[in-house]
Every structure is written in structure tokens, then in C-alpha cells.
Amino acid sequence: QVQLQESGPGLVRPSQTLSLTCTVSGVSISSGGYYWSWIRQHPGRGLEWIGYIHDSGSTHYNPSLKSRLTISQDTPNNQFSLKLISVIAADTAVYYCARGRSKVVTHFDYWGQGTQVAVSS
Amino acid sequence: DIQMTQSPSTLSASVGDRVIITCRASQSISTWLAWYQQKPGKAPKLLISEASTLESGVPSRFSGSGSGTEFTLTISSLLPDDFATYFCQHYNNYPVTFGGGTKVDLK
């Protein structure tokens, strides 16, 4: 059974770096042609796709975040990570990791439970 | 970016009602559309892909239709477990974007 679990700090100071990790079980992130993604949900609002890392290691980011964002993978530990630099209050959201299906532009069939991140001094 | 507009934003309904949610894309997306259900404090759950393909395990009272710019999600007979927020998402190109959501609550 495919499962994803986010981990990381719940509070980040403005201008600092947000780092989150997604631990995947039930499937290898380095095979299958999936797009391992980050998505966030601002309080009371809709969903925003952040970016993905493919099992090949290629990445694609939302242009709105590209200058601040890095997504990487740790295949021995079956994890992938998000690093967002210079965070601001508008980065406060619930962050989800999710699996994108084997299609370059995709939708998401498995999600983590989400982790709340607040940006505040 | 392609804008996805859902209507209504809130829908009040009773158990047994037929519910229809609309999603409009700002440009044609063929049938590259997914629907999700989200309950409070939970992650979204994929219900439908390619506009009308029901995911495994999703009850048949859910159905999707549409192509191009206009799509609908229909719940044929609402059950108590269906009170939730529903989102559409296009995957025609990047960045993929989501609709603002439709909350289905109890009338």
C-alpha cells in the first residue's frame, strides 16, 4: 500500500528557509515513472501545485515559486524534500506531498496527510 | 496559467439529493481534468480522472462529464459521507491548477 508522510517544522521565521521531507512507503520513488510532488493549501483557500521531482531526478517548479524553490530526492531512504528559501507570511499553508501518475502533466492519486507550516516571527 | 472556476462555492443539500458541481477552464483542456473530495483536516482524495473515469473504489453515485472548458461532477443521490469539499484540477499543461472548491453542506 502506497503511503506518504510529511515531516518538518511547524513554525518558520520570516526570511528563513522552510525544509520539508516526504517519506514514501509501498513504492520506490526511483522507479515506476511517477512525479513526486508538493502541493500546498492556504488557510481556507484552494490548492496550489508547488513542483515535482520525477523518478529520473528531473524537476519542474511552479513559476511563481521557482526562484526560491528546490526539490530533491534521497533514493536510499525513499524520501523527497522541499526547500523554500526567504519565506514570507504568504507561505503559511498546509503542505502536502503527493504522487503524480505516470504522465508528464498529471494529477495525484496518493497524498500525505499534510503538515501545517506557519511563517511568523 | 489556466484558471479553473468552480460553481457554486457552497451548495446546501439533503441526503438523497442529486448534486451537480460545475468547473470551467479559462481555455480548452480537452478531458485533462480530475476531481477530488476533501474532508476537514484530511488530504484530498482522487475521485475521477480524465473528466469521467471513476477511480477504483469510488462509488458509482459519483460521475463526471465534460470536455474542452466545461465540466461537471454529479452525485446521483447524496449520502451522509458525501458532505465535503470538492475540487477540480486541470492537467493540460504546467502549472496544473485547481478550482477554488465547492463545499457541500447539510441544508
Side-chain angles (χ1 to χ4, degrees):
Chain A
Q1 182 179 354
V2 177
Q3 293 185 313
L4 296 86
Q5 177 70 58
E6 306 88 352
S7 58
L11 177 66
V12 184
R13 306 298 183 192
S15 80
Q16 299 301 303
T17 296
L18 168 64
S19 294
L20 297 174
T21 296
C22 182
T23 301
V24 180
S25 59
V27 64
S28 171
I29 66 167
S30 58
S31 63
Y34 297 108
Y35 295 81
W36 300 98
S37 304
W38 289 98
I39 296 160
R40 68 183 182 181
Q41 187 168 31
H42 294 98
R45 290 168 56 186
L47 296 149
E48 179 183 28
W49 173 75
I50 296 171
Y52 73 68
I53 185 162
H54 185 247
D55 66 4
S56 64
S58 65
T59 57
H60 194 92
Y61 302 150
N62 193 317
S64 68
L65 296 167
K66 186 175 181 179
S67 63
R68 300 192 289 134
L69 180 64
T70 303
I71 297 176
S72 58
Q73 60 185 24
D74 176 3
T75 50
N77 289 306
N78 218 36
Q79 296 175 328
F80 64 103
S81 298
L82 169 153
K83 186 173 76 171
L84 186 65
I85 66 171
S86 305
V87 297
I88 59 176
D91 293 317
T92 293
V94 176
Y95 284 74
Y96 295 99
C97 57
R99 187 181 81 167
R101 283 189 167 157
S102 305
K103 180 182 179 300
V104 175
V105 190
T106 191
H107 55 292
F108 310 99
D109 57 359
Y110 289 95
W111 297 61
Q113 65 185 25
T115 187
Q116 174 71 57
V117 174
V119 177
S120 175
S121 55
Chain B
D1 299 2
I2 296 174
Q3 306 303 313
M4 305 300 293
T5 304
Q6 284 183 241
S7 59
S9 55
T10 305
L11 191 161
S12 297
S14 301
V15 173
D17 284 353
R18 181 181 180 88
V19 166
I20 299 174
I21 298 168
T22 298
C23 178
R24 289 185 174 87
S26 60
Q27 64 187 73
S28 177
I29 58 170
S30 184
T31 56
W32 302 122
L33 185 98
W35 289 98
Y36 300 87
Q37 176 193 67
Q38 186 178 35
K39 296 183 177 179
K42 301 293 187 181
K45 172 188 173 183
L46 179 64
L47 298 177
I48 288 170
S49 60
E50 290 192 45
S52 61
T53 301
L54 209 62
E55 291 297 305
S56 175
V58 175
S60 59
R61 64 182 181 274
F62 291 91
S63 63
S65 65
S67 66
T69 61
E70 292 247 351
F71 302 86
T72 58
L73 172 69
T74 300
I75 309 172
S76 60
S77 181
L78 199 66
L79 293 185
D81 190 49
D82 301 336
F83 290 102
T85 300
Y86 294 85
F87 293 94
C88 60
Q89 177 226 331
H90 89 80
Y91 50 107
N92 184 70
N93 55 7
Y94 278 111
V96 300
T97 56
F98 295 82
T102 295
K103 183 177 181 180
V104 178
D105 64 16
L106 186 61
K107 183 185 293 182

